[in-house]
């Protein structure tokens, strides 16, 4: 516009014979040089962020990253996250009974459905480890109430799996069961790996403990276990019961593990949780006889409650062979 008005003034007002060819060429050259440069440089970070995160971060979070890329530290940072681990129980046995094509179809449908649930709760898919899924919440961007979102994602996975199992039973003759572990704490989050290959992931004790909690869901016969840190952060949003006080393999400090209960049980849920925790407190105090009575009473009303059955068995064992020392902490020897 400035060049046009200047040209008009020179020619029409002052009578100069001026050529517009050279300014037009300069403008064209500048424009067609700048646009590719802008795409290749200024937009490079946005393209990298989109390609790097679109496959394992929800679209809403990708949009936030593109609008404000400086909120992401690609070199790695320490931040509080909630880590989710889930695993299919008995998957090796299932895989031995199916053709490779069927197994791939089943696993892809399962992993696809679970991933969509995680992304819908603004979680970040970290990786698939065979049939296992690792996800984190509150990275790469801050998410309000990330422990609650992680629990909501886990419960959504169980609900979705019940729907999928109807199809899997009809098509493949198998029914999948999963265990999920959640823990909230600090971790190092960022792009980790080598110059040739790296992944956006999290490392640290928080990740390890979450994996251990998922593993011991099999031992207690429950679907979802959360740490005391996660339960405290939930602030009563989801009903839970204290299941045990354990020391997992590889850790010296004890941790209290809690089961997130099915709200469909209603009033029975509160009675189950209260009665179980009362009996559990006697167990912690070393009063195994009273604790056994409490767990057995629970089993008469809730015969399918596997934590009560497990703890009753422990009480009988300790009554027959009292432990030399007792601090109420069970040592989980398995990973």
């Amino acid at each position: 516009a400035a060049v046009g008005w200047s040209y008009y003034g020179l020619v029409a007002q002052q009578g100069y014979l001026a050529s517009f060819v050279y300014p037009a060429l300069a403008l064209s050259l500048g424009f067609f040089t700048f646009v590719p440069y802008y795409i290749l440089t200024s937009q490079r970070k946005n393209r990298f962020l989109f390609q790097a995160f679109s496959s394992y971060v929800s679209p809403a979070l990708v949009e936030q990253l593109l609008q404000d890329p400086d909120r992401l530290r690609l070199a790695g940072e320490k931040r509080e996250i909630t880590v989710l681990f889930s695993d299919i129980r008995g998957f090796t046995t299932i895989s031995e009974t199916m053709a490779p094509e069927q197994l791939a179809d089943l696993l892809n449908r399962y992993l696809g459905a679970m991933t969509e649930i995680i992304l819908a709760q603004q979680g970040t898919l970290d990786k698939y480890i065979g049939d296992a899924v690792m996800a984190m919440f509150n990275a790469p961007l801050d998410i309000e109430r990330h422990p609650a979102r992680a629990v909501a994602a886990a419960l959504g996975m169980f609900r979705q799996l019940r729907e999928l199992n109807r199809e899997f039973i009809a098509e493949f003759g198998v029914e999948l069961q999963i265990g999920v572990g959640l823990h909230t704490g600090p971790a190092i989050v960022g792009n980790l790996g080598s110059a040739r290959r790296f992944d956006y992931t999290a490392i640290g004790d928080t990740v390890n403990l979450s994996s251990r909690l998922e593993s011991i869901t099999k031992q207690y016969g429950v679907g979802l276990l959360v740490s005391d840190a996660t339960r405290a952060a939930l602030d009563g949003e989801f009903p839970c019961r204290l299941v045990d006080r354990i020391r997992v393999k590889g850790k010296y400090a004890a941790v209290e593990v809690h089961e997130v209960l099915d709200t469909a049980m209603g009033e029975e849920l509160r009675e189950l949780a209260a009665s179980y925790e009362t009996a559990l407190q006697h167990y912690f105090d070393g009063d195994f006889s009273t604790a056994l009575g409490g767990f057995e009473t629970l089993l008469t009303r809730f015969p399918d409650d596997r934590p009560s059955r497990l703890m009753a068995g422990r009480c009988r064992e300790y009554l027959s062979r009292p432990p030399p020392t007792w601090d109420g902490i069970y040592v989980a020897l398995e990973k």
Side-chain angles (χ1 to χ4, degrees), residues 1-13:
V3 170
W5 278 110
S6 299
Y7 177 78
Y8 176 78
L10 289 173
V11 175
Q13 302 294 329

Side-chain angles (χ1 to χ4, degrees), residues 16-60:
Y16 285 100
L17 182 61
S19 173
F20 192 66
V21 174
Y22 295 111
L25 286 175
L27 286 173
S28 300
L29 180 63
F31 176 79
F32 288 110
T33 301
F34 171 76
V35 170
Y37 172 81
Y38 177 76
I39 294 175
L40 293 175
T41 58
S42 299
Q43 293 296 306
R44 184 178 301 165
K45 181 182 253 187
N46 281 1
R47 291 201 313 275
F48 168 76
L49 290 175
F50 183 81
Q51 293 171 0
F53 287 95
S54 60
S55 61
Y56 50 85
V57 177
S58 68

Side-chain angles (χ1 to χ4, degrees), residues 52-287:
F53 287 95
S54 60
S55 61
Y56 50 85
V57 177
S58 68
L61 288 182
V62 174
E63 287 298 325
Q64 292 183 44
L65 284 173
L66 294 179
Q67 293 173 11
D68 189 6
D70 293 334
R71 294 174 63 183
L72 175 65
R73 299 179 184 177
L74 294 178
E77 61 177 326
K78 184 177 182 179
R79 62 190 297 144
E80 182 185 89
I81 61 174
T82 299
V83 179
L84 179 151
F85 265 93
S86 75
D87 193 31
I88 299 176
R89 293 174 178 166
F91 184 73
T92 301
T93 303
I94 293 173
S95 64
E96 292 174 349
T97 64
M98 300 179 64
E101 297 81 4
Q102 289 181 315
L103 185 64
D105 183 25
L106 179 144
L107 192 57
N108 286 334
R109 287 160 65 179
Y110 162 78
L111 292 175
M114 299 302 105
T115 300
E116 290 302 319
I117 292 170
I118 291 169
L119 298 184
Q121 291 295 335
Q122 296 188 333
T124 298
L125 177 66
D126 188 303
K127 60 176 68 73
Y128 302 125
I129 312 168
D131 58 293
V133 177
M134 175 184 169
M136 54 187 168
F137 296 76
N138 207 40
L141 300 179
D142 294 331
I143 301 173
E144 293 184 1
R145 300 169 45 253
H146 56 91
R149 285 192 172 274
V151 171
L155 296 177
M157 292 167 70
F158 286 107
R159 286 192 296 268
Q160 183 63 39
L161 185 58
R162 286 194 288 269
E163 297 294 325
L164 287 174
N165 272 332
R166 296 192 182 97
E167 302 174 13
F168 293 159
I169 292 172
E171 296 180 36
F172 308 112
V174 298
E175 182 177 5
L176 301 184
Q177 301 293 333
I178 63 173
V180 180
L182 296 175
H183 176 51
T184 302
I188 301 299
V189 182
N191 280 319
L192 304 175
S194 68
R196 289 183 176 272
R197 178 177 173 83
F198 55 85
D199 291 313
Y200 189 81
T201 187
I203 59 174
D205 184 62
T206 295
V207 178
N208 298 334
L209 181 53
S210 175
S211 176
R212 298 293 189 270
L213 292 181
E214 179 278 315
S215 180
I216 65 173
T217 57
K218 297 186 289 288
Q219 183 175 350
Y220 289 91
V222 300
L224 173 59
L225 285 177
V226 304
S227 66
D228 44 1
T230 300
R231 179 176 182 176
L234 294 176
D235 198 24
E237 186 170 348
F238 296 90
C240 303
R241 67 164 162 175
L242 174 61
V243 172
D244 201 358
R245 190 178 295 151
I246 65 173
R247 185 179 292 120
V248 300
K249 188 173 183 178
K251 282 181 61 68
Y252 177 77
V255 60
E256 291 185 343
V257 293
H258 306 258
E259 180 192 9
V260 180
L261 297 171
D262 185 359
T263 55
M265 292 178 62
E267 185 63 32
E268 288 186 339
L269 178 148
R270 286 188 286 271
E271 294 178 14
L272 171 63
S275 299
Y276 181 91
E277 292 186 353
T278 298
L280 188 64
Q281 187 58 54
H282 291 299
Y283 168 84
F284 289 152
D285 295 337
D287 187 358

